[in-house]
């Protein structure tokens, strides 16, 4: 265990006593962490004020305070993101059926499932680290965003054949609209999980939220879209991710500047 692990546990809302219990071997060897825990566990010194003034100060402070829940742990955030992806896809499945999914072979289903789970888990993990001031970054967010923008068009070009068909633009715009609506729904859900985090880099945080929403839009499209064709899926389905990443990055950057 390292000092950064102590900082992570504290940022996730773990109690001081629980941190001491879990990190007992590290605390016995470290000079820094015991002082940090002691400082956090000690009451702050209260300056001397008059008896008549002290209730007014307390009332002024308390009336502006609102209860808040701590940020979910890294594992819980990853599971919540995966649950939101599955939940939205099941919603569209109930409403619209799964004609596109039924057209996929077993190999294509497995490849798309593996792509969605791995990319969603890595994106959610990186997002969780970005939201914590003391957390270290195992994977740079630029790598995750690059993979989000490139992975699906590359995968689609490998999985689907070229089949020329009419109404390429009309059908593509319809898929793009459906994917963006789905992406917006998932981004709104994920934002409910992460808005209590520390916005140290709003652009990266917003872009990752957009990438997760775009991924959900792509997965939902594979359930409902019957155009299993290379150029259609690479372009129009891939644009869902690209637009979601760009829009999420812009919104995150504006929110970070405002805060």
């Amino acid at each position: 265990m390292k000092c950064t692990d102590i900082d992570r546990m504290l940022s996730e809302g773990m109690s001081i006593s629980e941190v001491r219990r879990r990190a007992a071997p590290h605390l016995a060897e470290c000079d820094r962490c015991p002082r940090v825990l002691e400082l956090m566990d000690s009451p702050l010194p209260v300056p001397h004020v008059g008896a008549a003034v002290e209730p007014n100060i307390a009332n002024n402070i308390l009336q502006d305070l609102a209860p808040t829940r701590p940020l979910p742990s890294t594992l819980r955030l990853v599971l919540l993101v995966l649950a939101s992806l599955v939940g939205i896809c099941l919603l569209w499945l109930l409403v619209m059926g799964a004609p596109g999914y039924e057209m996929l072979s077993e190999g294509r289903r497995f490849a798309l499932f593996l792509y969605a789970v791995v990319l969603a888990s890595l994106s959610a993990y990186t997002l969780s680290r970005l939201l914590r001031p003391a957390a270290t970054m195992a994977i740079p967010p630029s790598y995750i965003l690059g993979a989000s923008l490139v992975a699906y068009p590359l995968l689609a070009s490998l999985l689907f054949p070229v089949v020329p068909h009419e109404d390429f633009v009309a059908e593509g715009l319809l898929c793009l609209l459906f994917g963006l609506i789905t992406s917006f729904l998932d981004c709104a859900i994920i934002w409910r999980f992460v808005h209590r985090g520390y916005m140290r880099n709003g652009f990266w945080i917003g872009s990752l939220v957009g990438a997760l929403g775009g991924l959900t839009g792509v997965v939902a499209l594979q359930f409902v879209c019957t155009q299993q064709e290379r150029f259609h899926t690479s372009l129009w389905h891939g644009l869902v991710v690209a637009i979601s990443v760009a829009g999420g990055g812009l919104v995150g950057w504006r929110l970070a500047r405002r805060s």
Side-chain angles (χ1 to χ4, degrees):
M1 183 170 289
K2 301 179 181 179
C3 297
T4 53
D5 296 317
I6 304 293
D7 297 335
R8 175 183 58 79
M9 289 188 288
L10 292 173
S11 70
E12 292 178 353
M14 189 177 296
S15 66
I16 303 297
S17 59
E18 181 66 13
V19 173
R20 285 198 174 104
R21 186 185 67 81
R22 294 192 180 188
H26 173 76
L27 295 175
E29 301 175 355
C30 180
D31 294 330
R32 166 193 174 271
C33 293
R35 294 200 302 269
V36 171
L37 295 179
E38 183 179 357
L39 179 62
M40 294 187 67
D41 202 24
S42 301
L44 294 175
V46 180
H48 176 72
V49 295
V53 179
E54 185 173 347
N56 294 332
I57 296 176
N59 291 333
N60 289 333
I61 294 174
L62 292 175
Q63 69 182 3
D64 293 332
L65 294 180
T68 184
R69 293 177 296 173
L71 193 68
S73 65
T74 299
L75 176 60
R76 187 181 178 192
L77 183 60
V78 172
L79 294 177
L80 287 171
V81 167
L82 292 176
S84 69
L85 188 154
V86 173
I88 290 179
C89 289
L90 286 177
L91 174 64
W92 289 126
L93 177 64
L94 293 174
V95 174
M96 306 180 66
Y101 179 80
E102 294 172 356
M103 295 175 60
L104 294 172
S105 64
E106 292 296 330
R108 290 172 179 171
R109 291 176 184 176
F110 176 77
L112 290 167
F113 171 80
L114 187 64
Y115 151 78
V117 172
V118 171
L119 192 57
S121 300
L122 291 177
S123 300
Y125 173 80
T126 305
L127 178 63
S128 177
R129 311 311 291 166
L130 273 175
L131 294 167
R132 307 179 196 282
T136 56
M137 295 302 301
I139 306 174
S142 57
Y143 291 5
I144 299 296
L145 291 176
S148 299
L149 295 172
V150 173
Y152 181 78
L154 179 61
L155 182 64
S157 66
L158 295 174
L159 293 180
F160 301 115
V162 177
V163 181
H165 61 281
E166 299 179 356
D167 298 328
F168 178 79
V169 174
E171 293 175 352
L173 289 175
L174 188 62
C175 280
L176 179 61
L177 178 61
F178 174 82
L180 290 177
I181 292 174
T182 305
S183 174
F184 177 80
L185 290 175
D186 196 43
C187 286
I189 294 173
I190 295 173
W191 182 250
R192 295 294 301 171
F193 304 150
V194 306
H195 75 280
R196 297 185 300 273
Y198 180 64
M199 297 283 287
R200 59 174 168 172
N201 194 314
F203 172 77
W204 291 124
I205 292 173
S207 297
L208 283 171
V209 173
L212 288 165
L215 176 62
T216 304
V218 164
V219 174
L221 280 170
Q222 292 301 153
F223 276 88
V224 302
C225 178
T226 58
Q227 296 297 331
Q228 310 287 343
E229 192 270 330
R230 181 178 303 172
F231 293 120
H232 174 87
T233 53
S234 299
L235 175 62
W236 298 109
H237 296 193
L239 272 176
V240 173
V241 180
I243 294 175
S244 299
V245 169
L250 178 61
V251 172
W253 175 73
R254 292 295 302 270
L255 289 175
R257 289 197 61 184
R258 185 177 300 177
S259 61

